[in-house]
């Protein structure tokens, strides 16, 4: 596969809908690949920089993610009615970046920002609104207390960290301690999400 920087040059092609772009990607059309990279590469590089990962890692992640996307399209796992190809590609990239970050980091928990992306952005974009809570509830049930409550308060009930403390919804007395604990919980939740997605081929 050619380098991303070469693909990006001179891409002016437009696609009328997700089905058309997905079909061209299935056929490994160079213009389609160039197009979808032009829509996602900047965001992936930004995420990598924010999390201390070198640019070659971002490039490798995007290359691998495109291969996975094409496979998912060919296997009819990807549904263009639920997400655009670029949205699905972003979800794959974030998932792969999480894996790279866990390998590169000596910390006991993963990047909270990237973990939140997986929970909040990818899930909302990949599943129909009716199914979002059901999917997350499955993960939280397996996660167990007290982590499931911390994540539920923030992402399902939409309480800010300060509101949780002020209303005494948790046992934590500071925003920092709450965030640190929830970050560790997110680390565990990502592992559960990885297993779930592999089992049901939703990723």
């Amino acid at each position: 596969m050619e380098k991303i920087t070469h693909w990006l040059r001179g891409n002016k092609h437009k696609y009328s809908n997700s089905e058309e772009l997905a079909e061209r990607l299935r056929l490994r059309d160079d213009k389609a690949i160039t197009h979808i990279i032009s829509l996602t590469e900047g965001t992936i590089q930004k995420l990598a920089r924010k999390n201390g990962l070198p640019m070659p890692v971002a490039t490798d992640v995007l290359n691998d993610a495109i291969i996975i996307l094409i496979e998912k399209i060919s296997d009819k796992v990807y549904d263009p009615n639920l997400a655009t190809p670029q949205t699905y590609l972003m979800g794959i990239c974030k998932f792969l970046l999480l894996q790279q970050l866990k390998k590169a980091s000596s910390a006991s928990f993963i990047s909270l920002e990237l973990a939140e992306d997986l929970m909040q952005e990818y899930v909302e974009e990949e599943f129909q609104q009716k199914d979002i809570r059901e999917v997350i509830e499955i993960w939280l049930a397996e996660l167990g207390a007290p982590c499931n409550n911390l994540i539920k308060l923030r992402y399902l009930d939409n309480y800010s960290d300060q509101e949780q403390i002020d209303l005494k919804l948790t046992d934590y007395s500071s925003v920092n301690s709450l965030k640190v604990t929830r970050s560790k919980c997110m680390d565990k939740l990502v592992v559960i999400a990885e297993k779930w997605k592999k089992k049901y081929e939703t990723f």
Side-chain angles (χ1 to χ4, degrees):
M1 185 178 290
E2 296 177 7
K3 290 184 178 180
I4 289 173
T5 52
H6 292 163
W7 282 340
L8 285 173
R9 295 189 179 116
N11 177 39
K12 302 297 182 181
H13 195 81
K14 302 296 182 182
Y15 296 88
S16 60
N17 52 48
S18 296
E19 289 85 354
E20 180 188 355
L21 178 54
E23 176 60 18
R24 299 314 302 173
L25 289 169
R26 185 185 68 81
L27 297 173
R28 291 170 170 79
D29 179 78
D30 287 342
K31 289 183 179 179
I33 294 173
T34 301
H35 177 71
I36 198 167
I37 289 174
S38 71
L39 297 175
T40 55
E41 185 179 31
T43 302
I44 298 306
Q45 290 179 342
K46 183 179 178 181
L47 278 173
R49 282 195 300 270
K50 281 187 175 181
N51 288 277
L53 294 172
M55 286 302 99
V57 170
T59 299
D60 290 343
V61 162
L62 189 48
N63 286 340
D64 291 344
I66 289 171
I67 293 172
I68 293 172
L69 173 62
I70 292 173
E71 290 176 349
K72 295 300 183 183
I73 293 171
S74 298
D75 294 341
K76 298 184 179 180
V77 174
Y78 164 73
D79 185 348
N81 294 315
L82 297 183
T84 63
Q86 58 266 32
T87 293
Y88 202 80
L89 180 64
M90 283 297 301
I92 297 172
C93 286
K94 289 173 184 178
F95 184 79
L96 296 179
L97 282 172
L98 278 171
Q99 292 181 321
Q100 290 295 326
L101 188 61
K102 291 174 74 174
K103 291 178 182 178
S105 176
S106 59
S108 60
F109 52 89
I110 62 172
S111 161
L112 180 59
E113 179 183 359
L114 204 52
E116 287 176 348
D117 280 339
L118 181 66
M119 273 291 294
Q120 204 163 3
E121 295 180 16
Y122 175 73
V123 174
E124 289 177 0
E125 292 168 344
E126 291 302 318
F127 297 96
Q128 293 178 336
Q129 188 66 35
K130 178 181 178 182
D131 298 329
I132 293 173
R133 193 173 184 110
E134 294 178 8
V135 172
I136 297 177
E137 289 287 2
I138 291 172
W139 297 350
L140 293 181
E142 186 174 344
L143 182 63
C147 284
N148 54 3
N149 187 54
L150 292 179
I151 294 172
K152 181 176 181 293
L153 286 170
R154 180 66 184 89
Y155 299 111
L156 298 186
D157 298 336
N158 296 316
Y159 286 104
S160 69
D161 294 339
Q162 192 60 55
E163 286 175 333
Q164 293 177 48
I165 293 171
D166 292 344
L167 297 173
K168 300 187 184 302
L169 299 176
T170 74
D171 295 329
Y172 298 93
S173 57
S174 73
V175 170
N176 184 62
S177 61
L178 178 59
K179 285 185 175 180
V180 169
T181 303
R182 191 173 62 236
S183 177
K184 294 178 180 179
C185 291
M186 290 296 293
D187 192 3
K188 297 176 182 178
L189 187 64
V190 167
V191 173
I192 292 173
E194 290 175 3
K195 294 179 180 178
W196 191 89
K197 287 169 184 173
K198 288 178 181 178
K199 180 177 179 180
Y200 293 100
E201 293 188 324
T202 56
F203 189 77

